[in-house]
mmCIF file of all heavy atoms in Angstrom:
data_model
loop_
_atom_site.group_PDB
_atom_site.id
_atom_site.type_symbol
_atom_site.label_atom_id
_atom_site.label_comp_id
_atom_site.label_asym_id
_atom_site.label_seq_id
_atom_site.Cartn_x
_atom_site.Cartn_y
_atom_site.Cartn_z
ATOM 1 N N ALA K 1 10.154 15.070 19.402
ATOM 2 C CA ALA K 1 10.933 14.254 18.471
ATOM 3 C C ALA K 1 11.146 12.894 19.134
ATOM 4 O O ALA K 1 11.118 11.759 18.450
ATOM 5 C CB ALA K 1 12.306 14.880 18.110
ATOM 6 N N ALA K 2 11.452 12.953 20.469
ATOM 7 C CA ALA K 2 11.771 11.662 21.209
ATOM 8 C C ALA K 2 10.558 10.745 21.240
ATOM 9 O O ALA K 2 10.705 9.481 21.294
ATOM 10 C CB ALA K 2 12.279 11.991 22.585
ATOM 11 N N ASN K 3 9.362 11.357 21.301
ATOM 12 C CA ASN K 3 8.155 10.515 21.462
ATOM 13 C C ASN K 3 7.649 9.995 20.075
ATOM 14 O O ASN K 3 6.517 9.258 20.078
ATOM 15 C CB ASN K 3 7.036 11.375 22.096
ATOM 16 C CG ASN K 3 7.227 11.459 23.581
ATOM 17 O OD1 ASN K 3 8.037 10.678 24.158
ATOM 18 N ND2 ASN K 3 6.554 12.428 24.262
ATOM 19 N N TYR K 4 8.209 10.377 18.971
ATOM 20 C CA TYR K 4 7.733 9.840 17.670
ATOM 21 C C TYR K 4 7.694 8.282 17.652
ATOM 22 O O TYR K 4 6.750 7.721 17.313
ATOM 23 C CB TYR K 4 8.600 10.347 16.507
ATOM 24 C CG TYR K 4 8.592 9.466 15.307
ATOM 25 C CD1 TYR K 4 7.477 9.268 14.661
ATOM 26 C CD2 TYR K 4 9.762 8.826 15.037
ATOM 27 C CE1 TYR K 4 7.511 8.386 13.504
ATOM 28 C CE2 TYR K 4 9.804 7.936 13.888
ATOM 29 C CZ TYR K 4 8.693 7.749 13.135
ATOM 30 O OH TYR K 4 8.721 6.872 12.154
ATOM 31 N N SER K 5 8.902 7.705 18.061
ATOM 32 C CA SER K 5 9.001 6.290 18.019
ATOM 33 C C SER K 5 8.053 5.630 19.079
ATOM 34 O O SER K 5 7.535 4.535 18.891
ATOM 35 C CB SER K 5 10.461 5.880 18.334
ATOM 36 O OG SER K 5 10.859 6.339 19.532
ATOM 37 N N VAL K 6 7.833 6.398 20.153
ATOM 38 C CA VAL K 6 6.857 5.883 21.270
ATOM 39 C C VAL K 6 5.524 5.726 20.645
ATOM 40 O O VAL K 6 4.748 4.811 20.820
ATOM 41 C CB VAL K 6 6.923 6.760 22.423
ATOM 42 C CG1 VAL K 6 5.837 6.371 23.449
ATOM 43 C CG2 VAL K 6 8.195 6.837 23.093
ATOM 44 N N ALA K 7 5.070 6.812 19.889
ATOM 45 C CA ALA K 7 3.731 6.829 19.295
ATOM 46 C C ALA K 7 3.547 5.714 18.232
ATOM 47 O O ALA K 7 2.589 5.050 18.184
ATOM 48 C CB ALA K 7 3.464 8.216 18.674
ATOM 49 N N TRP K 8 4.618 5.510 17.382
ATOM 50 C CA TRP K 8 4.511 4.589 16.316
ATOM 51 C C TRP K 8 4.476 3.208 16.912
ATOM 52 O O TRP K 8 3.729 2.313 16.470
ATOM 53 C CB TRP K 8 5.674 4.749 15.305
ATOM 54 C CG TRP K 8 5.555 3.842 14.143
ATOM 55 C CD1 TRP K 8 6.448 2.897 13.798
ATOM 56 C CD2 TRP K 8 4.559 3.929 13.116
ATOM 57 N NE1 TRP K 8 6.005 2.298 12.569
ATOM 58 C CE2 TRP K 8 4.854 2.897 12.179
ATOM 59 C CE3 TRP K 8 3.473 4.692 12.978
ATOM 60 C CZ2 TRP K 8 4.030 2.670 11.101
ATOM 61 C CZ3 TRP K 8 2.586 4.419 11.815
ATOM 62 C CH2 TRP K 8 2.920 3.405 10.879
ATOM 63 N N ARG K 9 5.305 2.904 17.919
ATOM 64 C CA ARG K 9 5.327 1.558 18.599
ATOM 65 C C ARG K 9 3.984 1.323 19.272
ATOM 66 O O ARG K 9 3.497 0.124 19.314
ATOM 67 C CB ARG K 9 6.411 1.499 19.651
ATOM 68 C CG ARG K 9 7.837 1.256 18.970
ATOM 69 C CD ARG K 9 8.773 0.760 19.978
ATOM 70 N NE ARG K 9 8.961 1.639 21.060
ATOM 71 C CZ ARG K 9 9.824 2.643 21.214
ATOM 72 N NH1 ARG K 9 10.699 2.846 20.211
ATOM 73 N NH2 ARG K 9 9.908 3.404 22.228
ATOM 74 N N SER K 10 3.316 2.291 19.779
ATOM 75 C CA SER K 10 2.000 2.210 20.406
ATOM 76 C C SER K 10 0.980 1.746 19.389
ATOM 77 O O SER K 10 0.118 0.956 19.667
ATOM 78 C CB SER K 10 1.573 3.531 21.027
ATOM 79 O OG SER K 10 0.274 3.472 21.610
ATOM 80 N N LEU K 11 1.042 2.361 18.222
ATOM 81 C CA LEU K 11 0.152 1.944 17.156
ATOM 82 C C LEU K 11 0.459 0.500 16.685
ATOM 83 O O LEU K 11 -0.470 -0.341 16.546
ATOM 84 C CB LEU K 11 0.224 2.896 15.976
ATOM 85 C CG LEU K 11 -0.281 4.297 16.185
ATOM 86 C CD1 LEU K 11 0.005 5.128 14.975
ATOM 87 C CD2 LEU K 11 -1.785 4.322 16.489
ATOM 88 N N GLU K 12 1.655 0.140 16.532
ATOM 89 C CA GLU K 12 2.033 -1.135 16.111
ATOM 90 C C GLU K 12 1.634 -2.222 17.154
ATOM 91 O O GLU K 12 1.109 -3.336 16.812
ATOM 92 C CB GLU K 12 3.571 -1.270 15.931
ATOM 93 C CG GLU K 12 4.007 -0.569 14.651
ATOM 94 C CD GLU K 12 5.472 -0.700 14.414
ATOM 95 O OE1 GLU K 12 6.269 -0.638 15.305
ATOM 96 O OE2 GLU K 12 5.909 -0.922 13.220
ATOM 97 N N SER K 13 1.821 -1.916 18.449
ATOM 98 C CA SER K 13 1.461 -2.860 19.464
ATOM 99 C C SER K 13 -0.038 -3.095 19.503
ATOM 100 O O SER K 13 -0.500 -4.164 19.907
ATOM 101 C CB SER K 13 1.937 -2.394 20.821
ATOM 102 O OG SER K 13 1.251 -1.168 21.173
ATOM 103 N N ARG K 14 -0.795 -2.114 19.118
ATOM 104 C CA ARG K 14 -2.282 -2.225 19.084
ATOM 105 C C ARG K 14 -2.835 -2.882 17.873
ATOM 106 O O ARG K 14 -3.787 -3.727 17.890
ATOM 107 C CB ARG K 14 -2.929 -0.753 19.235
ATOM 108 C CG ARG K 14 -4.502 -0.819 19.075
ATOM 109 C CD ARG K 14 -5.106 -1.461 20.200
ATOM 110 N NE ARG K 14 -6.599 -1.409 20.068
ATOM 111 C CZ ARG K 14 -7.291 -2.217 19.322
ATOM 112 N NH1 ARG K 14 -6.717 -3.210 18.634
ATOM 113 N NH2 ARG K 14 -8.544 -2.088 19.253
ATOM 114 N N TYR K 15 -2.251 -2.575 16.669
ATOM 115 C CA TYR K 15 -2.878 -3.069 15.453
ATOM 116 C C TYR K 15 -1.979 -4.088 14.680
ATOM 117 O O TYR K 15 -2.509 -4.715 13.791
ATOM 118 C CB TYR K 15 -3.122 -1.824 14.483
ATOM 119 C CG TYR K 15 -4.110 -0.860 15.180
ATOM 120 C CD1 TYR K 15 -3.601 0.364 15.594
ATOM 121 C CD2 TYR K 15 -5.452 -1.096 15.317
ATOM 122 C CE1 TYR K 15 -4.388 1.227 16.198
ATOM 123 C CE2 TYR K 15 -6.210 -0.248 15.926
ATOM 124 C CZ TYR K 15 -5.795 0.968 16.418
ATOM 125 O OH TYR K 15 -6.719 1.798 17.028
ATOM 126 N N GLU K 16 -0.729 -4.193 14.947
ATOM 127 C CA GLU K 16 0.133 -5.150 14.272
ATOM 128 C C GLU K 16 -0.044 -6.525 14.916
ATOM 129 O O GLU K 16 0.898 -7.140 15.578
ATOM 130 C CB GLU K 16 1.588 -4.682 14.284
ATOM 131 C CG GLU K 16 2.524 -5.455 13.366
ATOM 132 C CD GLU K 16 2.266 -5.097 11.888
ATOM 133 O OE1 GLU K 16 1.873 -4.000 11.583
ATOM 134 O OE2 GLU K 16 2.488 -6.008 11.076
ATOM 135 N N ASN K 17 -1.202 -7.120 14.729
ATOM 136 C CA ASN K 17 -1.505 -8.454 15.242
ATOM 137 C C ASN K 17 -2.002 -9.328 14.049
ATOM 138 O O ASN K 17 -3.121 -9.240 13.601
ATOM 139 C CB ASN K 17 -2.693 -8.262 16.255
ATOM 140 C CG ASN K 17 -3.049 -9.544 16.967
ATOM 141 O OD1 ASN K 17 -2.963 -10.599 16.365
ATOM 142 N ND2 ASN K 17 -3.324 -9.494 18.230
ATOM 143 N N LYS K 18 -1.078 -10.155 13.580
ATOM 144 C CA LYS K 18 -1.351 -10.971 12.326
ATOM 145 C C LYS K 18 -2.546 -11.815 12.553
ATOM 146 O O LYS K 18 -3.440 -11.889 11.574
ATOM 147 C CB LYS K 18 -0.117 -11.838 12.051
ATOM 148 C CG LYS K 18 -0.290 -12.558 10.707
ATOM 149 C CD LYS K 18 0.849 -13.300 10.251
ATOM 150 C CE LYS K 18 0.583 -14.082 8.957
ATOM 151 N NZ LYS K 18 1.738 -14.876 8.584
ATOM 152 N N LYS K 19 -2.783 -12.418 13.693
ATOM 153 C CA LYS K 19 -3.889 -13.290 13.885
ATOM 154 C C LYS K 19 -5.173 -12.571 13.711
ATOM 155 O O LYS K 19 -6.065 -12.973 12.997
ATOM 156 C CB LYS K 19 -3.884 -13.970 15.284
ATOM 157 C CG LYS K 19 -5.008 -14.924 15.518
ATOM 158 C CD LYS K 19 -4.870 -15.667 16.879
ATOM 159 C CE LYS K 19 -5.057 -14.683 18.020
ATOM 160 N NZ LYS K 19 -5.061 -15.399 19.383
ATOM 161 N N LEU K 20 -5.355 -11.361 14.311
ATOM 162 C CA LEU K 20 -6.482 -10.602 14.203
ATOM 163 C C LEU K 20 -6.694 -9.974 12.813
ATOM 164 O O LEU K 20 -7.860 -9.850 12.287
ATOM 165 C CB LEU K 20 -6.532 -9.540 15.243
ATOM 166 C CG LEU K 20 -6.660 -9.942 16.656
ATOM 167 C CD1 LEU K 20 -6.647 -8.783 17.646
ATOM 168 C CD2 LEU K 20 -7.881 -10.801 16.872
ATOM 169 N N LEU K 21 -5.590 -9.558 12.136
ATOM 170 C CA LEU K 21 -5.611 -9.039 10.868
ATOM 171 C C LEU K 21 -6.072 -10.087 9.820
ATOM 172 O O LEU K 21 -6.976 -9.725 9.004
ATOM 173 C CB LEU K 21 -4.241 -8.564 10.389
ATOM 174 C CG LEU K 21 -3.697 -7.345 11.159
ATOM 175 C CD1 LEU K 21 -2.246 -7.061 10.795
ATOM 176 C CD2 LEU K 21 -4.536 -6.080 10.730
ATOM 177 N N VAL K 22 -5.584 -11.263 9.926
ATOM 178 C CA VAL K 22 -5.998 -12.300 8.975
ATOM 179 C C VAL K 22 -7.523 -12.606 9.253
ATOM 180 O O VAL K 22 -8.322 -12.793 8.359
ATOM 181 C CB VAL K 22 -5.121 -13.591 9.201
ATOM 182 C CG1 VAL K 22 -5.716 -14.803 8.421
ATOM 183 C CG2 VAL K 22 -3.707 -13.324 8.683
ATOM 184 N N LYS K 23 -7.889 -12.741 10.498
ATOM 185 C CA LYS K 23 -9.278 -13.056 10.836
ATOM 186 C C LYS K 23 -10.262 -11.975 10.326
ATOM 187 O O LYS K 23 -11.312 -12.293 9.833
ATOM 188 C CB LYS K 23 -9.441 -13.131 12.351
ATOM 189 C CG LYS K 23 -10.884 -13.459 12.814
ATOM 190 C CD LYS K 23 -10.902 -13.553 14.364
ATOM 191 C CE LYS K 23 -12.344 -13.942 14.739
ATOM 192 N NZ LYS K 23 -13.429 -13.015 14.326
ATOM 193 N N SER K 24 -9.852 -10.725 10.431
ATOM 194 C CA SER K 24 -10.655 -9.563 9.944
ATOM 195 C C SER K 24 -10.940 -9.722 8.457
ATOM 196 O O SER K 24 -12.057 -9.489 7.959
ATOM 197 C CB SER K 24 -10.138 -8.268 10.335
ATOM 198 O OG SER K 24 -8.945 -7.991 9.581
ATOM 199 N N HIS K 25 -9.906 -10.045 7.687
ATOM 200 C CA HIS K 25 -10.054 -10.196 6.147
ATOM 201 C C HIS K 25 -10.812 -11.456 5.889
ATOM 202 O O HIS K 25 -11.568 -11.421 4.848
ATOM 203 C CB HIS K 25 -8.703 -10.053 5.571
ATOM 204 C CG HIS K 25 -8.172 -8.677 5.567
ATOM 205 N ND1 HIS K 25 -8.617 -7.727 4.683
ATOM 206 C CD2 HIS K 25 -7.111 -8.110 6.270
ATOM 207 C CE1 HIS K 25 -7.946 -6.600 4.923
ATOM 208 N NE2 HIS K 25 -7.054 -6.805 5.850
ATOM 209 N N LEU K 26 -10.660 -12.519 6.553
ATOM 210 C CA LEU K 26 -11.309 -13.740 6.292
ATOM 211 C C LEU K 26 -12.845 -13.547 6.670
ATOM 212 O O LEU K 26 -13.716 -13.943 5.859
ATOM 213 C CB LEU K 26 -10.807 -14.849 7.152
ATOM 214 C CG LEU K 26 -9.492 -15.476 6.679
ATOM 215 C CD1 LEU K 26 -9.018 -16.513 7.691
ATOM 216 C CD2 LEU K 26 -9.648 -16.092 5.279
ATOM 217 N N ASP K 27 -13.150 -12.858 7.714
ATOM 218 C CA ASP K 27 -14.528 -12.533 8.086
ATOM 219 C C ASP K 27 -15.200 -11.729 7.062
ATOM 220 O O ASP K 27 -16.299 -11.973 6.623
ATOM 221 C CB ASP K 27 -14.523 -11.777 9.399
ATOM 222 C CG ASP K 27 -14.232 -12.783 10.602
ATOM 223 O OD1 ASP K 27 -14.312 -14.011 10.390
ATOM 224 O OD2 ASP K 27 -13.943 -12.298 11.726
ATOM 225 N N ALA K 28 -14.450 -10.768 6.571
ATOM 226 C CA ALA K 28 -14.987 -9.810 5.517
ATOM 227 C C ALA K 28 -15.205 -10.561 4.235
ATOM 228 O O ALA K 28 -16.195 -10.250 3.474
ATOM 229 C CB ALA K 28 -13.963 -8.645 5.305
ATOM 230 N N LEU K 29 -14.376 -11.542 3.926
ATOM 231 C CA LEU K 29 -14.441 -12.340 2.683
ATOM 232 C C LEU K 29 -15.730 -13.182 2.732
ATOM 233 O O LEU K 29 -16.558 -13.188 1.739
ATOM 234 C CB LEU K 29 -13.294 -13.249 2.518
ATOM 235 C CG LEU K 29 -12.989 -13.862 1.100
ATOM 236 C CD1 LEU K 29 -12.726 -12.813 0.140
ATOM 237 C CD2 LEU K 29 -11.793 -14.868 1.260
ATOM 238 N N PHE K 30 -16.016 -13.797 3.834
ATOM 239 C CA PHE K 30 -17.234 -14.590 3.969
ATOM 240 C C PHE K 30 -18.458 -13.738 4.047
ATOM 241 O O PHE K 30 -19.635 -14.124 3.672
ATOM 242 C CB PHE K 30 -17.158 -15.446 5.200
ATOM 243 C CG PHE K 30 -16.425 -16.705 5.041
ATOM 244 C CD1 PHE K 30 -15.050 -16.764 5.410
ATOM 245 C CD2 PHE K 30 -16.912 -17.847 4.517
ATOM 246 C CE1 PHE K 30 -14.293 -17.945 5.195
ATOM 247 C CE2 PHE K 30 -16.221 -19.052 4.279
ATOM 248 C CZ PHE K 30 -14.809 -19.035 4.688
ATOM 249 N N ALA K 31 -18.274 -12.460 4.547
ATOM 250 C CA ALA K 31 -19.440 -11.556 4.712
ATOM 251 C C ALA K 31 -19.853 -10.790 3.574
ATOM 252 O O ALA K 31 -20.758 -9.981 3.599
ATOM 253 C CB ALA K 31 -19.195 -10.668 5.887
#
């Protein structure tokens, strides 16, 4: 139970990157 927030924060730190998220969708749009 204590590690639930640890796991979720780990995912957020890896994937919650607005610059890369926007870039990925822009790249997909052009592609």
